[in-house]
Amino acid sequence: MHYYHSWQGDPIPPEDGFLHIELSRKPVPYHFARCFEGEIDSRTCQALALSSCRISCMVTDVVRGRIASHKLQRTVAGPCLRKLDTMSAILTRESRERAFLGHPMGILPVIPQSIRGMLISPSRVETMAHLTIGRTHHWVNLVLQQNGSRWMCVLADVG
């Protein structure tokens, strides 16, 4: 998908690259499209892709009950953490009621496959991480908002 300058008809170039993540055997590709030009450089895009990847893996582990949500309070906003805790409680209850099936999201490690993002404004980015847990595919949608010099996750949807 290309976004065009309204005055020239030229596409705004996306940012593409690869992340080298310890959990993945191969580099994780990322692609960020833009709704605007400039202001966020390639280095910042790579940092946002890496942050999105790490947060996506960690919120998935919060939902699976593998890590406590308070460990993310520096990168994920409070209301978002409370929603993740609620989802974790629901999945934990479901796994207890159907113990013979195991946890609905499995027990194997979360492996990132790709990151896709849209730079909405100089202070807002929306990303989608494709993750696998064993042979099961999952997607995590995040919204990162810049607060001062820090980027905070203000929305996380784990599926």
Side-chain angles (χ1 to χ4, degrees), residues 18 21 39 48 70 72 79 86 90 102 118-119 141 143 151 154:
F18 293 92
I21 306 290
E39 299 192 46
L48 287 168
H70 70 83
L72 297 176
T86 299
I90 290 168
M118 174 66 72
L119 298 165
N141 293 301
V143 174
W151 288 87
V154 296

Side-chain angles (χ1 to χ4, degrees), residues 119-141:
L119 298 165
I120 303 299
S121 75
S123 62
R124 186 176 177 93
V125 61
E126 297 181 10
T127 65
M128 186 273 307
H130 174 207
L131 311 172
T132 53
I133 301 172
R135 294 183 179 181
T136 307
H137 296 267
H138 296 274
W139 285 264
V140 176
N141 293 301

